[in-house]
Amino acid sequence: MADRKERFTSLSGLPVAPLYAPEDLKEWNPDTELGVAGSFPYTRGIHPGMYRSRLWTMRQFAGFGTAEDTNARFKYLLEHGQTGVSVAFDMPTLMGLDADNPLARGEVGRCGVAVSSLSDMERLFDGIPLDQITTSMTINGPAAILFAMYLAMAERRGIPAERLGGTLQNDILKEYIAQKEWLFPPEPHLRVMVDTMAYCAAHLPKWHPISISGYHIREAGSNAVQELAFTLYDGLTYVDTAVKMGLAVDDFAPRLSFFFNVHNDFFEEIAKFRAARRLWAREMERRFHPQDPRSLQLRCHAQTAGCSLTAQQPMNNVVRTTLQALAAVLGGTQSLHTNSMDETLALPTEEAVKLALRTQQIIAEESEVTNTVDPLGGSYYVEALTNRLEDGARAYIEKLDRMGGMVKAIEQGYPQREILESSLCYQREVERNERGIVGINRHVEQDEASISILKIGEEVEKSQVDRLSSLRYRRDSFMVAGSLEALQEAAAGDENLMPYLIAAVKADATLGEITASLKEVFGTYREPVVL
Amino acid sequence: MTATTPIRVLIGKVGLDGHDRGVKLVARALRDAGMEVIYTGLHQSPEQVVNTAIQEDVQAIGLSVLSGAHNYLFPRVLELLKEKGAEDIVVFGGGIVPDDDLPRLKSAGVRMLFRPGSAMTDVVDFLKGLRS
């Protein structure tokens, strides 16, 4: 019988053969390419027992409205079996602006929670035991400032820093590449980032100071090979920067973590996680020769692909998310966020988030896929794909080396252009009906029933603005000015900024004031337009 | 507008949102369809958008908002256009906009909103339709 299609390709455009067999793995040596789980090159997983020893952390990203609104959502998720919290901040906070900045109009509390001061942070975590959960904060440009608020809050509650566990996204290079939320030019941003790494190495042994993120690169339109290559290269750049600033690789590399997207191509995604671990271990070994094996291990969080969801027939998104979540688990992720079915329409409702969490719990507790480590290891197809992804990513890594590193490549618009071309290619495939999406170009329904969605009231912005003005009225303005001046002096020199940031947030300096003070020293950045 | 001169359109990101995958695809599709596209880039305030639109003498403004701030940003752009006597410029947009917000944006003067799943050809056809 003839094939249904002329060409079969993976979602990233790699040609797929009708059958994979031993000939496809002729050069492949399982001893060097696979090893055993928990050992170099970690293809099969970073722990010997994987999910037999411990399931992945189920961590749903959440944030909207005021600190109180999000606090209630965190408590809801913890009550339903979630094992860590993950904060989504609103656009002004992500851009280092206070809620009462004119540029923040209409944006406060809309796509995350508004946090402009230490007192907002304290309301956000009210009643949540900081020493018993782990917290992930998706914040990049102003990451060090929000981290300082978290540390100051813990100190006031009498919780020692060494007992705090969590993750700061703090990945600035992917902001220039994909997510586009930066405050300063790349060089000072990298310096502040290394400050947070050094601070964690000295005071917070359980904290992950950076989550090196491919998620946003993929959402911006890259394919799986580009996601893998640019993300790992960002990671190598951070290690290189920190080593050049005097940190010993084994003092911080064991605490680096990664964050990947899980898109629709089931086997390609599984192979991506496996290739990521192998390539990271090999590149770290080759470039930095660490002594601690944990410096070679790529540990990661994964999130199902928001960009794969459709506004049409939204219930279908539950099924897409289930398949993607299963791929992340078979790929060996350490933690996972599953998207809710209503997220192409608005931030998710409580019911939709619960269903997304239940999806993970069903995979974990009913499907029995957790019984053995790397169940697809040795599959001709998956191993061939793993090799292809590693080779493809390595070619990009070599090119970036030749270009003089990621900062130079970003300034020339190189990764941005590669991503744009992939996104154009995907869009054309969909519009030519070569790539099927149920509800968009296949099985389309007219007159769909609508589902109920989360609404965020207009009063959120006003209450946040009022709170800020009362904070400004009641605080000691001399303390604020003094703390900001000390911060600026430290920023102009080469001291670690973390103690100065902690002092400033304790004096009730706001996020926007701290950002503005730092911009005076560090300057701002405009991106090269790539179209 | 006559059928021989190309359509001039401003395409950009208004507000703080940095999600620019869709807006770039639209800008490319309109350019490929023979239109003159002025792409503003990221983080434009409503004032900047309106000033650029008037200076560049565009016939339409297409704005992308995925951050949920559409209920403020679109009406604000339309209000500024009116203040400057430029209400003949057609405003359309794209992004994450729930059904319930459509009537108020429409009554504020937003001509069309392209939501997730829209095809690039839909946007091209919409702008070509403005001529007739």
Side-chain angles (χ1 to χ4, degrees):
Chain A
M1 222 158 82
D3 281 348
R4 285 183 294 110
K5 293 196 285 190
E6 209 173 294
R7 268 171 2 116
F8 287 80
T9 57
S10 76
L11 191 60
S12 298
L14 304 174
V16 180
L19 186 74
Y20 284 81
E23 302 85 84
D24 295 292
L25 298 178
K26 247 188 257 155
E27 312 279 300
W28 184 80
N29 175 350
D31 295 333
T32 54
E33 303 304 306
L34 283 185
V36 293
S39 302
F40 191 85
Y42 304 101
T43 315
R44 309 203 71 177
I46 57 169
H47 302 300
M50 287 301 291
Y51 307 132
R52 286 173 74 102
S53 323
R54 186 173 172 271
L55 290 172
W56 62 92
T57 301
M58 299 180 194
R59 195 193 292 284
Q60 299 293 95
F61 184 44
F64 61 96
T66 62
E68 285 83 354
D69 295 330
T70 300
N71 178 270
R73 177 65 66 89
F74 285 164
K75 287 177 175 162
Y76 176 86
L77 286 165
L78 291 168
E79 278 160 21
H80 284 85
Q82 176 163 292
T83 45
V85 301
S86 173
V87 191
F89 295 101
D90 69 356
M91 280 309 310
T93 308
L94 293 169
M95 296 297 286
L97 301 173
D98 287 338
D100 55 1
N101 187 301
L103 294 171
R105 281 291 302 277
E107 311 255 18
V108 178
R110 291 274 148 198
C111 65
V113 60
V115 175
S116 313
S117 68
L118 174 55
S119 68
D120 290 339
M121 186 67 95
E122 287 177 324
R123 278 195 301 276
L124 181 61
F125 283 93
D126 184 51
I128 295 175
L130 302 181
D131 49 349
Q132 289 166 38
I133 54 139
T134 57
T135 300
S136 169
M137 287 192 275
T138 298
I139 188 86
N140 294 280
I145 308 170
L146 276 294
F147 188 38
M149 290 179 190
Y150 194 82
L151 297 177
M153 166 176 67
E155 192 190 313
R156 281 189 185 170
R157 290 202 203 165
I159 300 166
E162 64 264 22
R163 281 174 51 201
L164 298 175
T167 308
L168 206 55
Q169 194 164 80
N170 203 18
D171 169 9
I172 202 65
L173 290 173
K174 68 96 174 51
E175 294 299 329
Y176 300 107
I177 297 171
Q179 192 170 236
K180 315 291 172 87
E181 292 155 10
W182 57 77
L183 308 180
F184 323 123
E187 298 298 336
H189 255 314
L190 287 171
R191 175 258 174 114
V192 178
M193 216 171 123
V194 174
D195 285 351
T196 60
M197 287 160 74
Y199 193 84
C200 286
H203 305 287
L204 288 98
K206 288 164 64 186
W207 199 275
H208 299 284
I210 317 177
S211 169
I212 307 152
S213 305
Y215 187 82
H216 320 81
I217 292 173
R218 192 66 181 277
E219 291 287 303
S222 86
N223 62 35
V225 177
Q226 293 162 340
E227 178 193 357
L228 186 55
F230 297 154
T231 309
L232 294 202
Y233 203 88
D234 286 349
L236 294 170
T237 306
Y238 299 142
V239 176
D240 187 55
T241 309
V243 167
K244 283 187 177 140
M245 284 178 70
L247 270 63
V249 64
D250 287 327
D251 283 349
F252 65 90
R255 300 307 296 171
L256 295 175
S257 67
F258 285 81
F259 172 24
F260 291 107
N261 197 292
V262 213
H263 213 297
N264 282 337
D265 189 324
F266 190 70
F267 291 109
E268 183 172 73
E269 292 301 305
I270 294 167
K272 183 182 78 187
F273 286 89
R274 303 173 85 247
R277 284 191 293 269
R278 188 159 78 200
L279 188 50
W280 179 252
R282 286 176 169 167
E283 288 295 315
M284 283 296 286
E285 173 72 42
R286 188 171 74 81
R287 288 170 193 246
F288 304 104
H289 326 293
Q291 299 303 305
D292 186 340
R294 293 175 308 153
S295 296
L296 303 169
Q297 296 169 357
L298 179 144
R299 56 202 71 76
C300 69
H301 173 68
Q303 179 172 339
T304 57
C307 63
S308 73
L309 303 184
T310 63
Q312 292 73 17
Q313 305 175 37
M315 304 274 244
N316 294 346
N317 293 331
V318 179
V319 184
R320 292 188 178 98
T321 298
T322 306
L323 286 165
Q324 295 164 3
L326 182 59
V329 169
L330 295 175
T333 193
Q334 275 62 57
S335 73
L336 180 62
H337 167 107
T338 33
N339 290 324
S340 301
M341 65 172 184
D342 51 358
E343 292 191 60
T344 51
L345 305 167
L347 295 192
T349 61
E350 248 176 29
E351 294 72 28
V353 173
K354 187 163 80 179
L355 181 55
L357 177 61
R358 293 285 184 250
T359 304
Q360 294 196 41
Q361 291 164 338
I362 289 168
I363 294 172
E365 292 165 37
E366 297 183 15
S367 76
E368 308 295 351
V369 296
T370 55
N371 289 342
T372 190
V373 176
D374 187 33
L376 292 167
S379 143
Y380 301 121
Y381 180 39
V382 171
E383 295 299 352
L385 267 175
T386 304
N387 292 344
R388 293 269 291 280
L389 286 164
E390 184 185 5
D391 293 345
R394 186 177 285 110
Y396 270 114
I397 286 174
E398 284 166 2
K399 170 141 194 181
L400 288 161
D401 275 340
R402 287 196 300 275
M403 290 179 84
M406 189 53 103
V407 172
K408 289 215 167 67
I410 287 167
E411 286 166 356
Q412 293 167 36
Y414 172 70
Q416 299 96 308
R417 197 167 301 115
E418 289 292 301
I419 292 168
L420 177 61
E421 291 308 322
S422 292
S423 116
L424 272 168
C425 174
Y426 177 79
Q427 185 67 27
R428 284 191 193 118
E429 285 176 350
V430 171
E431 295 199 16
R432 286 189 199 126
N433 206 7
E434 293 162 7
R435 194 71 69 187
I437 305 177
V438 172
I440 301 289
N441 58 10
R442 307 281 164 88
H443 315 292
V444 177
E445 286 176 23
Q446 309 303 330
D447 306 321
E448 290 174 26
S450 62
I451 56 171
S452 64
I453 58 163
L454 181 79
K455 293 199 177 69
I456 295 156
E458 312 268 327
E459 69 286 351
V460 168
E461 186 157 322
K462 192 182 173 308
S463 84
Q464 193 61 18
V465 168
D466 289 348
R467 262 182 190 159
L468 264 174
S469 78
S470 83
L471 176 82
R472 289 204 169 95
Y473 182 77
R474 73 167 186 266
R475 68 188 180 176
D476 180 338
S477 61
F478 287 96
M479 288 242 324
V480 174
S483 72
L484 293 175
E485 208 169 290
L487 173 67
Q488 284 190 317
E489 263 178 49
D494 56 8
E495 270 181 277
N496 192 310
L497 293 187
M498 283 311 298
Y500 295 92
L501 290 169
I502 294 169
V505 301
K506 280 188 191 161
D508 285 327
T510 65
L511 169 65
E513 291 161 348
I514 295 171
T515 302
S517 303
L518 289 174
K519 279 184 178 170
E520 282 177 26
V521 180
F522 292 148
T524 56
Y525 179 79
R526 262 200 92 77
E527 69 163 355
V529 173
V530 172
L531 202 61
Chain B
M1 295 184 213
T2 69
T4 49
T5 54
I7 296 170
R8 252 176 105 69
V9 55
L10 178 149
I11 295 293
K13 291 291 297 179
V14 64
L16 301 174
D17 174 34
H19 292 91
D20 61 358
R21 175 177 181 168
V23 79
K24 284 184 167 182
L25 289 176
V26 169
R28 283 278 284 255
L30 298 182
R31 200 173 70 187
D32 293 347
M35 298 180 202
E36 287 179 7
V37 177
I38 291 98
Y39 177 64
T40 65
L42 298 172
H43 307 147
Q44 299 289 301
S45 67
E47 288 77 8
Q48 286 172 312
V49 166
V50 168
N51 290 341
T52 310
I54 292 169
Q55 276 164 23
E56 295 281 350
D57 194 23
V58 299
Q59 287 128 25
I61 299 176
L63 298 173
S64 155
V65 184
L66 282 79
S67 66
H70 47 269
N71 286 337
Y72 171 73
L73 293 168
F74 281 107
R76 180 70 186 141
V77 166
L78 285 149
E79 187 181 88
L80 288 166
L81 284 172
K82 194 174 261 180
E83 272 174 29
K84 307 218 168 187
E87 58 263 61
D88 56 318
I89 300 177
V90 170
V91 175
F92 69 101
I96 308 276
V97 180
D99 288 343
D100 289 357
D101 294 342
L102 291 179
R104 68 193 280 185
L105 293 176
K106 205 152 214 184
S107 70
V110 180
R111 191 74 69 86
M112 181 65 106
L113 278 167
F114 295 95
R115 296 192 293 162
S118 302
M120 295 302 132
T121 46
D122 298 342
V123 187
V124 172
D125 292 344
F126 162 74
L127 282 170
K128 285 184 175 164
L130 293 179
R131 286 186 186 286
S132 45

